[in-house]
Amino acid sequence: MKKVAFIGLGVMGYPMAGHLVKAGYEVTVYNRTTAKAEQWAKEFNAHFALTPKDASKGADVVFACVGNDDDVCQVTFGSDGILAGLKPGAIFVDHTTASAELAEKLAKAAQQQGNDFIDAPVSGGQAGAENGQLTIMCGGHESTFEQVKPVMNAYAKFSQLMGVVGKGQVAKMANQICIAGLVQGLSEALNFAQRAGLDADKLVETISKGAAGSWQMENRYKTMYAGEYEFGFAVDWMRKDLAIAFKEAQKYDAKLPMTHMVDGFYQQVQQNGGNRWDTSSLISLLKTK
Ligand code: NAP
């Protein structure tokens, strides 16, 4: 496992591909906007290709991290797609947050031509990608996972095989369901405390040590108090992820009442112009008089 390719140099993919170079892999990247691929190749002294197929040629593992299901299909299928470039035995790993159905479709297409596939959505955000501290939820064969795990360690602090193909995506859905409810609870608590005149730092210093503590509380309370949202994990992405989770939940008749309510709040944030705001911008709806 020496030669790898990375498709999609967004907020996440750009630093992730960079970590692969730093870990000693021979990396070729592809990005739809070529200028970004050129910039990346210059920064990391590595190669870029003009199609996903050309980037994938000769690679032992091909990683993708693009936007949604449709975007993954665009870089995977067709005469210039990843599948057209994969050598026999190469492994395709998709880090995009997408549906479990898509993971099954990709695995089937890969297997039909002698390749294997792992769905591997990530958690940890932009900072996790930049610091190489992502958590990765995987679906696929154990032997395939064991082959790609050491490569993903270039940017992961933890990765786990959750089950068969698609189960990585299902785990990511559970992750997003947790975050939606949690951020709404945190928004309500902080807004309540602010109106009650409590000192924000003292409050969080105290309650974060008890049962209410969370990553969101520690990493977001300052910006939530200050009303700063122009960074982080975009509301548009969160709504895309929740839509995938709602569809999946129907299969198991799993009720998601609070998540539906929070999704409605995120829709209001979008209507207020917050499409690219961080998910912690839920508090903005409570700040109005
Ligand atoms: P992003 O900054 O918007 O980047 C998206 C990347 O995908 C760009 O390289 C873009 O190319 C490429 N792309 C999009 N549509 C494409 C298409 N149809 N064909 C070819 N390339 C296409 O997104 P991101 O924040 O890196 O997120 C990537 C994935 O990780 C998403 O599924 C997201 O939900 C997930 N994720 C994100 C975070 C986060 O905090 N950002 C955290 C966890 C998971 P261009 O440069 O040409 O636009």
Coordinates of all heavy atoms in Angstrom, one line a residue, residues 7-16 30-37 52 64-76 94-98 121-129 134-135 137 169 172 175-176 220 231-234 236-238 240-241 244 276 278, ligand 1:
I7 N -9.8 12.0 -4.2 CA -10.7 12.7 -5.1 C -11.6 13.7 -4.3 O -12.3 13.2 -3.4 CB -11.7 11.7 -5.8 CG1 -10.9 10.5 -6.4 CG2 -12.5 12.5 -6.9 CD1 -9.8 10.9 -7.4
G8 N -11.4 15.0 -4.5 CA -12.2 16.0 -3.7 C -11.4 16.7 -2.7 O -11.1 16.1 -1.6
L9 N -11.0 17.9 -3.0 CA -10.1 18.7 -2.1 C -10.9 19.8 -1.5 O -10.5 21.0 -1.6 CB -8.9 19.2 -2.9 CG -8.0 18.1 -3.5 CD1 -7.0 18.8 -4.4 CD2 -7.4 17.2 -2.5
G10 N -12.0 19.5 -0.8 CA -12.7 20.5 -0.1 C -12.1 20.8 1.3 O -11.0 20.5 1.5
V11 N -13.0 21.4 2.1 CA -12.6 21.7 3.5 C -11.9 20.5 4.2 O -10.9 20.6 4.9 CB -13.8 22.2 4.3 CG1 -13.5 22.2 5.8 CG2 -14.2 23.6 3.8
M12 N -12.5 19.3 3.9 CA -12.0 18.1 4.5 C -10.9 17.4 3.7 O -9.9 17.0 4.2 CB -13.2 17.1 4.7 CG -14.4 17.6 5.5 SD -13.9 18.0 7.2 CE -13.9 16.4 7.9
G13 N -11.2 17.2 2.4 CA -10.3 16.4 1.6 C -8.9 17.1 1.4 O -7.9 16.3 1.4
Y14 N -8.8 18.4 1.3 CA -7.6 19.1 1.1 C -6.5 18.7 2.2 O -5.5 18.2 1.9 CB -7.8 20.6 1.0 CG -6.6 21.4 0.5 CD1 -6.7 21.9 -0.8 CD2 -5.5 21.7 1.3 CE1 -5.6 22.7 -1.3 CE2 -4.5 22.4 0.8 CZ -4.5 22.9 -0.5 OH -3.5 23.7 -1.0
P15 N -6.9 18.9 3.5 CA -5.9 18.5 4.5 C -5.7 17.0 4.6 O -4.6 16.5 4.9 CB -6.5 19.1 5.8 CG -7.9 19.4 5.5 CD -8.0 19.7 4.1
M16 N -6.8 16.2 4.4 CA -6.7 14.8 4.5 C -5.7 14.2 3.5 O -4.8 13.4 3.9 CB -8.1 14.1 4.3 CG -9.0 14.3 5.5 SD -10.8 14.0 5.0 CE -10.8 12.2 5.1
Y30 N -7.4 14.5 -7.5 CA -8.2 15.1 -8.5 C -9.2 16.1 -7.8 O -9.7 15.7 -6.7 CB -9.0 14.1 -9.3 CG -10.2 14.7 -10.0 CD1 -10.0 15.3 -11.2 CD2 -11.5 14.8 -9.4 CE1 -11.1 16.0 -11.9 CE2 -12.6 15.4 -10.0 CZ -12.3 16.0 -11.3 OH -13.4 16.6 -11.9
N31 N -9.4 17.3 -8.4 CA -10.4 18.1 -7.9 C -11.2 18.8 -9.1 O -10.5 19.1 -10.1 CB -9.9 19.2 -7.0 CG -11.0 19.9 -6.2 OD1 -11.6 19.3 -5.3 ND2 -11.2 21.2 -6.5
R32 N -12.5 18.9 -8.9 CA -13.3 19.4 -10.1 C -12.8 20.8 -10.5 O -12.6 21.1 -11.7 CB -14.8 19.5 -9.6 CG -15.7 20.1 -10.6 CD -17.1 20.1 -10.1 NE -17.2 20.8 -8.9 CZ -18.4 21.0 -8.2 NH1 -19.5 20.4 -8.6 NH2 -18.4 21.6 -7.0
T33 N -12.5 21.7 -9.5 CA -11.9 23.0 -9.8 C -10.4 22.8 -9.8 O -9.8 22.6 -8.8 CB -12.3 24.0 -8.7 OG1 -13.7 24.0 -8.6 CG2 -11.8 25.4 -9.0
T34 N -9.8 22.8 -11.0 CA -8.4 22.4 -11.2 C -7.5 23.3 -10.4 O -6.4 22.8 -9.9 CB -8.0 22.3 -12.7 OG1 -9.0 21.5 -13.3 CG2 -6.7 21.8 -12.9
A35 N -7.8 24.6 -10.3 CA -6.9 25.5 -9.6 C -6.6 25.0 -8.2 O -5.5 25.2 -7.7 CB -7.5 26.9 -9.5
K36 N -7.6 24.4 -7.5 CA -7.4 23.9 -6.1 C -6.4 22.7 -6.1 O -5.6 22.6 -5.2 CB -8.7 23.6 -5.5 CG -8.8 24.0 -4.1 CD -10.1 23.4 -3.4 CE -11.3 24.2 -3.7 NZ -12.5 23.5 -3.1
A37 N -6.5 21.9 -7.2 CA -5.7 20.7 -7.3 C -4.2 21.2 -7.5 O -3.3 20.6 -7.0 CB -6.1 19.8 -8.4
P52 N -10.9 11.9 -12.4 CA -10.9 10.9 -11.4 C -10.2 9.6 -11.9 O -9.5 8.9 -11.2 CB -12.3 10.7 -11.0 CG -13.1 11.9 -11.4 CD -12.3 12.4 -12.6
A64 N -12.3 9.1 -1.8 CA -13.1 10.2 -2.3 C -13.8 10.9 -1.1 O -14.1 10.3 -0.1 CB -14.2 9.7 -3.2
C65 N -13.9 12.2 -1.2 CA -14.6 13.0 -0.2 C -15.2 14.2 -0.9 O -14.6 15.3 -1.0 CB -13.7 13.4 1.0 SG -14.5 14.2 2.4
V66 N -16.4 14.0 -1.4 CA -17.1 15.1 -2.1 C -18.4 15.5 -1.4 O -18.4 15.3 -0.1 CB -17.3 14.7 -3.6 CG1 -16.0 14.7 -4.4 CG2 -18.1 13.4 -3.8
G67 N -19.4 16.0 -2.0 CA -20.5 16.5 -1.3 C -21.6 15.6 -0.9 O -21.8 15.2 0.3
N68 N -22.4 15.1 -1.9 CA -23.5 14.2 -1.6 C -23.6 13.0 -2.5 O -22.6 12.8 -3.3 CB -24.8 15.0 -1.7 CG -25.0 15.7 -3.1 OD1 -24.5 15.2 -4.1 ND2 -25.7 16.8 -3.1
D69 N -24.7 12.3 -2.5 CA -24.8 11.1 -3.3 C -24.5 11.3 -4.8 O -23.8 10.6 -5.5 CB -26.2 10.5 -3.2 CG -26.4 9.7 -1.9 OD1 -25.8 10.0 -0.9 OD2 -27.2 8.7 -2.0
D70 N -25.2 12.4 -5.3 CA -25.0 12.7 -6.8 C -23.6 13.0 -7.1 O -23.1 12.6 -8.2 CB -25.9 13.9 -7.2 CG -27.4 13.6 -7.1 OD1 -27.7 12.4 -7.1 OD2 -28.2 14.5 -7.1
D71 N -22.9 13.8 -6.2 CA -21.5 14.1 -6.5 C -20.6 12.9 -6.5 O -19.7 12.8 -7.4 CB -21.0 15.1 -5.4 CG -21.8 16.4 -5.3 OD1 -22.4 16.8 -6.4 OD2 -22.0 16.9 -4.2
V72 N -20.9 12.0 -5.6 CA -20.1 10.7 -5.6 C -20.3 10.0 -6.9 O -19.3 9.5 -7.5 CB -20.5 9.8 -4.4 CG1 -19.7 8.5 -4.4 CG2 -20.3 10.5 -3.1
C73 N -21.6 9.9 -7.4 CA -21.8 9.2 -8.6 C -21.1 9.8 -9.8 O -20.5 9.2 -10.6 CB -23.3 9.2 -8.9 SG -24.2 8.1 -7.8
Q74 N -21.0 11.2 -9.8 CA -20.4 11.9 -10.9 C -18.9 11.6 -10.9 O -18.3 11.5 -12.0 CB -20.6 13.4 -10.7 CG -22.0 13.8 -11.3 CD -22.2 15.3 -11.2 OE1 -21.3 16.1 -11.1 NE2 -23.5 15.6 -11.2
V75 N -18.2 11.4 -9.8 CA -16.8 11.1 -9.8 C -16.5 9.6 -9.9 O -15.3 9.3 -10.2 CB -16.0 11.7 -8.6 CG1 -16.1 13.2 -8.6 CG2 -16.5 11.1 -7.3
T76 N -17.5 8.8 -9.7 CA -17.3 7.4 -9.7 C -17.5 6.7 -11.1 O -16.7 5.9 -11.5 CB -18.1 6.7 -8.6 OG1 -17.9 7.3 -7.4 CG2 -17.9 5.2 -8.6
D94 N -14.9 5.5 0.3 CA -15.7 6.8 0.2 C -15.9 7.5 1.6 O -16.5 6.9 2.4 CB -17.0 6.6 -0.5 CG -17.7 7.9 -0.7 OD1 -17.0 8.9 -0.8 OD2 -19.0 7.9 -0.9
H95 N -15.2 8.7 1.7 CA -15.4 9.4 3.0 C -16.6 10.4 3.0 O -16.8 11.1 4.0 CB -14.1 10.2 3.2 CG -12.9 9.4 3.7 ND1 -13.0 8.5 4.8 CD2 -11.7 9.3 3.3 CE1 -11.8 7.9 4.9 NE2 -11.0 8.4 4.0
T96 N -17.2 10.5 1.8 CA -18.4 11.4 1.7 C -19.5 10.9 2.7 O -19.7 9.7 2.9 CB -18.9 11.4 0.3 OG1 -17.9 11.5 -0.6 CG2 -20.0 12.5 0.1
T97 N -20.2 11.9 3.3 CA -21.4 11.5 4.1 C -22.5 11.3 3.1 O -23.0 12.3 2.4 CB -21.8 12.6 5.1 OG1 -20.7 12.8 6.0 CG2 -23.0 12.1 5.9
A98 N -23.0 10.1 2.9 CA -23.9 9.8 1.8 C -24.9 8.7 2.3 O -24.8 8.3 3.5 CB -23.2 9.3 0.5
P121 N -17.6 7.4 6.2 CA -17.8 8.8 6.6 C -17.0 9.2 7.9 O -16.7 8.3 8.7 CB -19.3 8.8 6.8 CG -19.7 7.5 7.1 CD -18.8 6.6 6.4
V122 N -16.8 10.5 8.0 CA -15.9 10.9 9.1 C -16.6 11.9 10.0 O -17.6 12.5 9.7 CB -14.6 11.6 8.5 CG1 -13.9 10.7 7.5 CG2 -15.0 12.9 7.8
S123 N -16.1 12.0 11.2 CA -16.5 13.0 12.2 C -15.3 13.7 12.8 O -14.3 13.1 12.9 CB -17.4 12.3 13.3 OG -17.8 13.2 14.2
G124 N -15.5 14.9 13.1 CA -14.4 15.7 13.7 C -14.2 17.0 13.1 O -13.4 17.9 13.6
G125 N -14.9 17.3 12.0 CA -14.9 18.6 11.4 C -13.6 19.0 10.8 O -12.7 18.3 10.6
Q126 N -13.6 20.3 10.3 CA -12.5 20.9 9.7 C -11.2 20.8 10.6 O -10.1 20.4 10.1 CB -12.8 22.4 9.4 CG -11.7 23.1 8.7 CD -12.1 24.5 8.3 OE1 -13.2 24.9 8.5 NE2 -11.2 25.2 7.7
A127 N -11.4 21.1 11.8 CA -10.2 21.0 12.8 C -9.7 19.6 12.8 O -8.5 19.3 12.8 CB -10.6 21.5 14.1
G128 N -10.6 18.6 12.9 CA -10.2 17.2 12.9 C -9.4 16.8 11.7 O -8.4 16.0 11.8
A129 N -9.9 17.3 10.5 CA -9.2 17.0 9.3 C -7.8 17.6 9.2 O -6.8 17.0 8.9 CB -10.0 17.5 8.1
L134 N -9.4 12.7 13.0 CA -10.8 12.3 12.6 C -11.2 11.0 13.2 O -10.3 10.2 13.5 CB -11.0 12.3 11.1 CG -10.8 13.6 10.3 CD1 -10.8 13.3 8.8 CD2 -12.0 14.5 10.7
T135 N -12.5 10.8 13.4 CA -13.1 9.5 13.8 C -13.7 9.0 12.5 O -14.5 9.7 11.8 CB -14.1 9.7 14.9 OG1 -13.5 10.3 16.0 CG2 -14.7 8.4 15.3
M137 N -16.1 6.0 10.6 CA -17.1 4.9 10.8 C -17.2 4.1 9.5 O -17.6 4.7 8.4 CB -18.5 5.5 11.1 CG -18.5 6.3 12.4 SD -19.6 7.7 12.4 CE -18.4 9.0 12.0
Q169 N -22.2 4.4 7.0 CA -23.1 5.6 6.8 C -24.2 5.6 7.8 O -24.6 6.7 8.3 CB -23.7 5.5 5.4 CG -22.7 5.7 4.2 CD -22.0 7.1 4.2 OE1 -22.4 8.0 5.0 NE2 -21.1 7.2 3.3
K172 N -22.9 7.1 10.9 CA -22.7 8.6 10.8 C -24.1 9.3 10.9 O -24.2 10.3 11.5 CB -22.1 8.9 9.4 CG -22.1 10.4 9.0 CD -21.0 11.2 9.8 CE -21.1 12.7 9.4 NZ -20.1 13.5 10.1
N175 N -24.7 9.6 14.5 CA -23.9 10.7 15.0 C -24.6 12.1 14.7 O -24.6 12.9 15.6 CB -22.6 10.7 14.2 CG -21.5 11.7 14.6 OD1 -20.9 11.5 15.6 ND2 -21.4 12.8 13.9
Q176 N -25.1 12.2 13.6 CA -25.8 13.5 13.2 C -27.1 13.7 14.0 O -27.4 14.8 14.4 CB -26.1 13.6 11.7 CG -24.8 13.5 10.8 CD -23.7 14.5 11.2 OE1 -23.1 14.4 12.2 NE2 -23.6 15.6 10.4
R220 N -17.8 25.4 21.2 CA -18.7 26.3 20.6 C -19.4 27.4 21.4 O -20.0 28.3 20.9 CB -19.9 25.5 19.8 CG -19.4 24.6 18.7 CD -19.0 25.5 17.5 NE -18.7 24.7 16.3 CZ -17.5 24.3 15.9 NH1 -16.4 24.7 16.6 NH2 -17.3 23.6 14.9
F231 N -18.2 29.9 10.1 CA -17.1 28.9 10.1 C -17.8 27.5 10.3 O -19.0 27.4 10.4 CB -16.1 29.2 11.3 CG -16.8 29.0 12.6 CD1 -16.6 27.8 13.3 CD2 -17.5 30.0 13.2 CE1 -17.3 27.6 14.5 CE2 -18.2 29.8 14.4 CZ -18.0 28.6 15.1
G232 N -16.9 26.5 10.4 CA -17.4 25.2 10.8 C -18.2 24.3 9.9 O -18.0 24.4 8.7
F233 N -19.1 23.6 10.4 CA -19.9 22.6 9.7 C -21.2 23.2 9.2 O -22.1 23.6 10.1 CB -20.2 21.3 10.5 CG -20.9 20.3 9.8 CD1 -20.3 19.7 8.6 CD2 -22.1 19.8 10.2 CE1 -21.0 18.7 7.9 CE2 -22.8 18.8 9.5 CZ -22.2 18.3 8.3
A234 N -21.4 23.4 7.9 CA -22.5 24.2 7.4 C -23.8 23.6 7.6 O -24.0 22.4 7.5 CB -22.2 24.4 5.9
D236 N -26.3 23.7 5.6 CA -26.7 23.0 4.4 C -26.3 21.6 4.4 O -27.1 20.7 4.1 CB -26.1 23.7 3.1 CG -26.8 24.9 2.6 OD1 -27.9 25.2 3.2 OD2 -26.4 25.5 1.7
W237 N -25.1 21.3 4.9 CA -24.6 19.9 5.0 C -25.4 19.2 6.1 O -25.7 18.0 5.9 CB -23.1 19.9 5.4 CG -22.1 20.1 4.3 CD1 -20.8 20.7 4.5 CD2 -22.1 19.8 2.9 NE1 -20.1 20.7 3.3 CE2 -20.9 20.2 2.3 CE3 -23.1 19.2 2.1 CZ2 -20.7 20.0 0.9 CZ3 -22.9 19.0 0.7 CH2 -21.7 19.4 0.2
M238 N -25.7 19.9 7.2 CA -26.4 19.2 8.3 C -27.8 18.7 7.7 O -28.2 17.6 8.0 CB -26.5 20.1 9.5 CG -27.2 19.4 10.7 SD -26.3 17.9 11.1 CE -26.6 17.9 12.9
K240 N -28.6 18.1 4.7 CA -28.4 17.0 3.8 C -28.3 15.7 4.5 O -28.9 14.7 4.2 CB -27.1 17.3 3.0 CG -26.7 16.3 1.9 CD -25.5 15.5 2.1 CE -24.3 16.1 2.7 NZ -23.1 15.2 3.0
D241 N -27.5 15.8 5.6 CA -27.3 14.5 6.4 C -28.6 14.1 7.1 O -28.8 12.9 7.2 CB -26.2 14.8 7.5 CG -24.8 15.1 6.9 OD1 -24.7 15.0 5.6 OD2 -23.9 15.4 7.6
I244 N -30.9 12.3 4.8 CA -30.5 10.9 4.6 C -30.9 10.0 5.8 O -31.5 8.9 5.7 CB -29.0 10.8 4.4 CG1 -28.5 11.5 3.1 CG2 -28.5 9.4 4.5 CD1 -27.0 11.7 3.0
R276 N -24.4 28.6 5.0 CA -23.0 28.2 5.2 C -22.6 28.4 6.7 O -21.4 28.2 7.1 CB -22.1 28.9 4.3 CG -22.2 28.6 2.8 CD -22.0 27.2 2.4 NE -20.6 26.8 2.6 CZ -20.1 25.6 2.3 NH1 -20.9 24.7 1.7 NH2 -18.9 25.2 2.5
D278 N -22.2 27.7 10.7 CA -21.9 26.5 11.5 C -23.3 26.0 12.2 O -24.2 26.8 12.4 CB -20.9 26.8 12.6 CG -20.6 25.6 13.5 OD1 -20.0 24.6 12.9 OD2 -20.9 25.5 14.7
Ligands
NAP1 P1 -16.7 21.2 0.5 O1 -15.7 22.0 1.2 O2 -17.9 21.8 0.0 O3 -15.9 20.4 -0.6 C1 -16.6 19.5 -1.5 C2 -15.6 18.9 -2.5 O4 -16.3 18.0 -3.3 C3 -14.9 19.9 -3.3 O5 -13.6 19.4 -3.6 C4 -15.7 19.9 -4.6 O6 -15.0 20.4 -5.7 C5 -16.1 18.5 -4.7 N1 -17.3 18.3 -5.5 C6 -18.6 18.6 -5.1 N2 -19.5 18.2 -6.0 C7 -18.7 17.6 -7.0 C8 -19.1 17.0 -8.2 N3 -20.3 16.9 -8.6 N4 -18.1 16.5 -9.0 C9 -16.8 16.6 -8.6 N5 -16.4 17.2 -7.4 C10 -17.4 17.7 -6.6 O7 -17.2 20.0 1.5 P2 -16.4 19.4 2.8 O8 -16.8 20.2 4.0 O9 -15.0 19.0 2.5 O10 -17.3 18.0 3.0 C11 -17.1 16.9 2.2 C12 -17.9 15.7 2.7 O11 -17.6 15.5 4.1 C13 -19.4 16.0 2.8 O12 -20.1 14.8 2.5 C14 -19.7 16.5 4.2 O13 -21.0 16.2 4.6 C15 -18.7 15.6 4.9 N6 -18.2 16.2 6.2 C16 -17.9 17.5 6.4 C17 -17.5 18.0 7.6 C18 -17.1 19.4 7.8 O14 -17.0 19.8 8.9 N7 -16.9 20.2 6.7 C19 -17.4 17.1 8.7 C20 -17.7 15.8 8.5 C21 -18.2 15.3 7.3 P3 -14.9 21.9 -6.1 O15 -13.6 22.4 -5.3 O16 -14.7 22.0 -7.5 O17 -16.1 22.6 -5.6

